[in-house]
Amino acid sequence: MTADEFLATCWTTAGDAAPDQDDQRSPLSLRERAEAAGCAGFTGFGLLYADLVEAERAYGLAGIRSLFEDNGISHIELELLTDWWADGPRRAASDAVRSGLLSAIEALGARTLKIGPDVADEPWDLDVWAEEFATLAAQADGVGARLGIEFLPWSNLKTVHDGLRLVETAGHPAGGLIIDVWHTERAHTPPAELAVVPGSRIVGVELNDADSEVVGTLFEDTVRRRRLCGEGSFDLPGIITALRTAGWNGPWGVEILSDTHRALPVREAAAAAYRTAATLVK
């Protein structure tokens, strides 16, 4: 991938769907979404597992792959696996999702599997998590993808440094970080600290913007009030320069989550997300 390619992360084209909803499935068809992304200029596409299941019913995995190819989508990212560290019923449910994601990755030629931390911020054991992460990274590697964990400032992995500690302890070369600039900014991580993250440990980058003040909880703010790139308070030019210094050269994910964005027609939403990000990534 080259520096001028962009990936529409799963929420950017999802329409009226969000992580704070009980049913997170997009009301839009995958065809509508892929066509909107491709028309806007995106060459990458993110898909939530719940939407993957619906799309497989509608098109089959071969049909999904053809749909992406027809719209110029060459980089596919699947998400979001949680409870991969757990045991009991939670782990059983997580393993069922894991199996479906790994099968889809192989069939679609997806390049990235995104996983989450513990948003309940319960006590955890680094060594146990590292062992589980390494196992999952090996499984992703076995079907041709890299594993990326997204740290969140309200989770057990609050900063890029927390995420990197887990990834480095796990040690698998296919494992790394998804760096969402919303989370680095809200965790008060300066761009200079992103510049020294080992490039080999960056699996994905997500661009967006926000106001300087948080409204409500961090979760409420990130889900309802993100802004298009360049329309908020983030030092995106400095962040992009820092990530390039670290070795990242794309594709640049664009993740826009807001009440305003969700209300737009999907083609208008995708076009705005692409245009504002591309203006900054030169």
Side-chain angles (χ1 to χ4, degrees), residues 125 156 159:
D125 185 308
N156 67 318
T159 69

Side-chain angles (χ1 to χ4, degrees), residues 10-187:
C10 73
W11 301 112
T12 297
T13 64
D16 190 16
D20 62 350
Q21 297 174 358
D22 291 336
D23 184 353
Q24 297 182 0
R25 291 176 298 176
S26 171
L28 305 173
S29 72
L30 183 59
R31 181 178 300 279
E32 290 176 277
R33 298 172 63 186
E35 289 176 351
C39 184
F42 287 104
T43 57
F45 193 94
L47 192 59
L48 192 69
Y49 179 71
D51 289 329
L52 170 67
V53 171
E54 293 296 315
E56 186 174 358
R57 290 195 190 106
Y59 309 103
L61 289 173
I64 294 173
R65 185 162 186 160
S66 294
L67 187 58
F68 284 140
E69 290 172 351
D70 290 346
N71 287 282
I73 304 297
S74 58
H75 185 119
I76 301 164
E77 175 181 271
L78 299 182
E79 65 171 278
L80 176 77
L81 184 66
T82 60
D83 287 339
W84 49 270
W85 63 86
D87 52 23
R90 287 170 55 200
R91 179 56 178 267
S94 178
D95 283 350
V97 174
R98 179 191 305 217
S99 177
L101 285 167
L102 291 171
S103 295
I105 285 169
E106 189 168 27
L108 300 177
R111 302 185 190 183
T112 309
L113 171 58
K114 187 196 293 189
I115 65 175
D118 179 9
V119 296
D121 196 13
E122 297 290 341
W124 61 291
D125 185 308
L126 174 62
D127 291 333
V128 171
W129 271 55
E131 183 178 357
E132 294 284 1
F133 185 91
T135 297
L136 185 50
Q139 292 171 340
D141 189 37
V143 291
R146 293 199 70 195
L147 179 70
I149 187 163
E150 184 172 8
F151 51 91
L152 309 168
W154 61 87
S155 74
N156 67 318
L157 300 176
K158 295 176 172 55
T159 69
V160 65
H161 309 294
D162 296 332
L164 189 59
R165 182 170 172 241
L166 169 64
V167 167
E168 295 286 22
T169 303
H172 197 286
L177 302 173
I178 303 290
I179 299 178
D180 183 331
V181 304
W182 195 98
H183 303 313
T184 62
E185 286 293 288
R186 291 312 197 208

Side-chain angles (χ1 to χ4, degrees), residues 176-228:
L177 302 173
I178 303 290
I179 299 178
D180 183 331
V181 304
W182 195 98
H183 303 313
T184 62
E185 286 293 288
R186 291 312 197 208
H188 308 294
T189 302
E193 294 182 14
L194 299 178
V196 296
V197 174
S200 63
R201 292 305 189 189
I202 304 177
V203 172
V205 166
E206 297 176 353
L207 302 176
N208 42 72
D209 215 328
D211 294 331
S212 58
E213 297 297 322
V214 174
V215 177
T217 67
L218 283 169
F219 181 66
E220 290 167 346
D221 197 63
T222 197
V223 168
R224 306 193 64 177
R225 297 179 179 86
R226 293 192 186 201
R227 291 192 177 274
L228 295 167

